[in-house]
């Protein structure tokens, strides 16, 4: 496996690349052009400049998270073809720059969603948390989105692009008639157009699970469990149509068995990118995020890493959201300290699995 670290680019991320390079076993960063609106064609010079900057720090840029999908594609509107065309060209350009995996999601309107970005823990750490009963009481999604943005402070929430948040009312009206089946169909239309370009340029697409993996605000969500993942992977049956298996997103539904999913989809060579993190269940439809260490959360990260090891996983992996610890001020979930601890913990588990299997 190749250990990576998510980095938001020098304009938006306070963490210098050299700090990331100093984390043991770090092969590269996972990044994006954060200012590119969904649906835009990424300029070649910008891609080159990003790659150069990362390579100059002694790191690789082989994974992009994310090239976001325009809502018109998810909605299946006639205007989608233009955005899909841009996506195809962006894939080609990224492939030419040496990118191997593109992570994306197909969640309507909201990307990952939390009800609290800084829930204090008794030990003084702050964590991201989710409570479905709070979501169920929200009558004004716009006010909710504003509150979350405010909670993020100076940092824009990844996946909550301002241009999308500005259109919430319109988007909710447009999605009113979109069913889960429509969403599967629209995803298939997108994949049929894009996967041939991925094959040509050797870039793997890796869909991220919906987070949390169930419908929210009455919006349909489809990347939610093993059965639906099977269906998504069969929409276009190519190894280039793959998965970013995020343990914390998929695992926030306790019915989802993450090691079993790693074994099934990993053995098929369809997991291209592993997000490994822990969460702690605090009640039905409720969880808070935890340190990566198994003893801190409800997921057994040893079992997850063992499953990856057993299927011979050789893709990219990254620690995911961390707690805010040691008084760090940073982007919710994306500080340096706890993610660095997570990376080293995952590398340690992997080393033990490697040595134990000899
Ligand atoms: C949140 C992230 C997501 C993820 C996207 C992929 O922390 O895991 O925003 O990057 O859903 O497109």
């Amino acid at each position: 496996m190749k250990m990576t670290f998510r980095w938001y680019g020098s304009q938006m991320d306070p963490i210098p690349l050299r700090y990331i390079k100093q984390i043991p076993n770090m092969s590269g960063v996972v990044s994006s052009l954060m200012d590119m609106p969904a649906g835009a064609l990424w300029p070649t010079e910008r891609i080159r400049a990003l790659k150069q900057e990362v390579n100059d720090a002694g790191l690789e840029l082989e994974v992009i998270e994310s090239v976001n999908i325009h809502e018109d594609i998810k909605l299946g509107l006639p205007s989608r073809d233009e955005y899909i065309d841009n996506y195809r060209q962006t894939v080609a350009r990224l492939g030419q720059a040496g990118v191997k995996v593109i992570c994306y999601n197909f969640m309507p309107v909201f990307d990952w969603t939390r009800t609290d970005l800084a829930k204090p823990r008794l030990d003084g750490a702050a964590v991201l948390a989710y409570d479905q009963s709070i979501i169920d009481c929200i009558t004004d999604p716009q006010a909710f989105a504003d509150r979350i943005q405010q909670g993020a402070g100076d940092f824009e929430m990844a996946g909550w692009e301002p241009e999308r948040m500005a259109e919430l009312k319109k988007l909710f009206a447009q999605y009113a008639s979109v069913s889960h089946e429509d969403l599967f169909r629209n995803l298939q239309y997108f994949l049929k157009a894009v996967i041939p370009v991925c094959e040509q340029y050797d870039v793997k697409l890796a869909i991220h699970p919906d987070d949390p993996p169930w419908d929210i605000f009455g919006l349909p969500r489809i990347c939610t469990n093993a059965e639906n993942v099977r269906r998504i992977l069969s929409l276009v049956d190519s190894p280039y149509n793959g998965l970013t298996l995020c343990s914390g997103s998929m695992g926030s539904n306790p019915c989802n068995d993450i090691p079993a999913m790693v074994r099934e989809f990993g053995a098929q060579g369809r997991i291209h990118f592993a997000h490994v993190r822990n969460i702690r269940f605090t009640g039905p439809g409720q969880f808070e995020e935890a340190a990566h260490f198994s003893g801190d959360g409800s997921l057994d990260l040893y079992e997850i890493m063992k499953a990856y090891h057993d299927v011979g996983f050789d893709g990219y992996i990254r620690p995911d959201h961390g707690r805010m610890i040691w008084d760090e001020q940073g982007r919710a979930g994306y500080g340096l300290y706890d993610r660095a601890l997570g990376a080293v913990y995952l590398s340690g588990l992997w080393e033990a699995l490697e040595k134990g299997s000899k």
Side-chain angles (χ1 to χ4, degrees):
M1 58 94 163
K2 276 186 153 185
M3 183 60 70
T4 59
F5 203 78
R6 190 173 191 185
W7 180 68
Y8 287 90
S10 42
Q11 302 300 316
M12 298 191 68
D13 201 322
I15 303 171
L17 283 170
R18 75 193 151 85
Y19 286 14
I20 298 173
K21 176 70 184 166
Q22 287 164 358
I23 303 168
N25 196 30
M26 201 46 73
S27 77
V29 293
V30 170
S31 196
S32 185
L33 295 178
M34 292 288 292
D35 57 332
M36 281 290 131
L41 172 60
W42 288 22
T44 308
E45 324 75 64
R46 295 282 314 279
I47 297 171
R48 280 210 198 107
L50 177 65
K51 181 182 161 67
Q52 194 62 52
E53 188 180 7
V54 170
N55 290 167
D56 286 349
L59 292 159
E60 287 167 352
L61 179 73
E62 295 186 343
V63 184
I64 295 295
E65 178 177 354
S66 311
V67 180
N68 284 320
I69 311 264
H70 195 278
E71 294 297 327
D72 290 8
I73 298 176
K74 297 178 225 169
L75 285 160
L77 299 180
S79 45
R80 68 181 154 177
D81 290 330
E82 183 193 329
Y83 298 120
I84 289 177
D85 210 48
N86 285 347
Y87 210 98
R88 286 160 52 94
Q89 284 192 61
T90 299
V91 169
R93 289 177 181 187
L94 289 170
Q96 281 164 335
V99 167
K100 298 289 172 211
V101 172
I102 294 174
C103 170
Y104 73 102
N105 72 79
F106 216 70
M107 290 175 246
V109 189
F110 294 110
D111 191 328
W112 62 310
T113 301
R114 296 292 177 274
T115 48
D116 195 338
L117 298 185
K119 184 171 177 191
R121 279 178 41 156
L122 288 176
D123 60 8
V127 293
L128 294 146
Y130 185 87
D131 182 346
Q132 184 62 40
S133 65
I134 295 180
I135 298 282
D136 289 342
C137 295
I138 289 168
T139 47
D140 180 2
Q142 185 71 59
F144 169 73
D146 293 346
R147 180 168 74 73
I148 292 296
Q149 270 307 334
Q150 276 159 17
D154 294 337
F155 300 98
E156 185 184 303
M157 292 267 294
W160 286 54
E161 300 86 26
E163 67 274 6
R164 196 151 37 140
M165 292 308 117
E167 304 243 289
L168 281 192
K169 216 173 173 178
K170 179 174 156 215
L171 285 172
F172 268 81
Q174 286 175 307
Y175 275 106
S177 58
V178 175
S179 66
H180 295 90
E181 288 305 311
D182 292 328
L183 216 48
F184 276 112
R185 240 190 318 276
N186 297 343
L187 176 57
Q188 185 173 42
Y189 184 94
F190 166 77
L191 290 171
K192 278 193 168 162
V194 176
I195 294 296
V197 183
C198 294
E199 288 171 341
Q200 190 184 342
Y201 288 89
D202 193 22
V203 179
K204 297 195 164 98
L205 274 199
I207 191 168
H208 188 284
D210 300 344
D211 184 355
W214 54 78
D215 295 357
I216 57 168
F217 297 116
L219 298 163
R221 289 187 153 197
I222 56 172
C223 195
T224 52
N225 55 35
E227 193 186 328
N228 283 3
V229 169
R230 266 175 226 127
R231 185 165 169 197
I232 289 170
L233 297 182
S234 71
L235 291 176
V236 171
D237 194 15
S238 158
Y240 287 83
N241 173 24
L243 183 62
T244 296
L245 184 48
C246 176
S247 62
S249 306
M250 207 45 121
S252 55
N253 178 348
C255 301
N256 286 334
D257 179 341
I258 304 304
M261 290 177 82
V262 171
R263 287 178 197 284
E264 178 176 346
F265 303 118
Q268 296 165 5
R270 300 296 278 272
I271 303 178
H272 304 314
F273 189 20
H275 287 183
V276 185
R277 67 177 163 90
N278 215 337
I279 50 165
R280 186 179 1 199
F281 299 120
T282 48
Q286 279 178 12
F287 58 88
E288 56 184 50
E289 300 195 358
H292 287 69
F293 176 57
S294 296
D296 200 53
S298 304
L299 305 183
D300 186 333
L301 263 63
Y302 171 77
E303 286 301 332
I304 293 174
M305 293 302 281
K306 184 167 185 317
Y308 276 114
H309 192 262
D310 287 350
V311 297
F313 179 70
D314 63 355
Y316 301 90
I317 182 169
R318 71 167 178 81
D320 205 347
H321 307 167
R323 303 159 302 153
M324 276 301 163
I325 56 170
W326 305 336
D327 298 330
E328 184 178 14
Q329 301 294 314
R331 184 188 298 274
Y334 285 96
L336 172 65
Y337 303 148
D338 202 34
R339 286 191 299 147
L341 292 178
V344 175
Y345 171 63
L346 297 179
S347 290
L349 286 176
W350 196 260
E351 181 182 354
L353 288 161
E354 285 279 278
K355 292 188 172 157
S357 66
K358 292 221 167 93

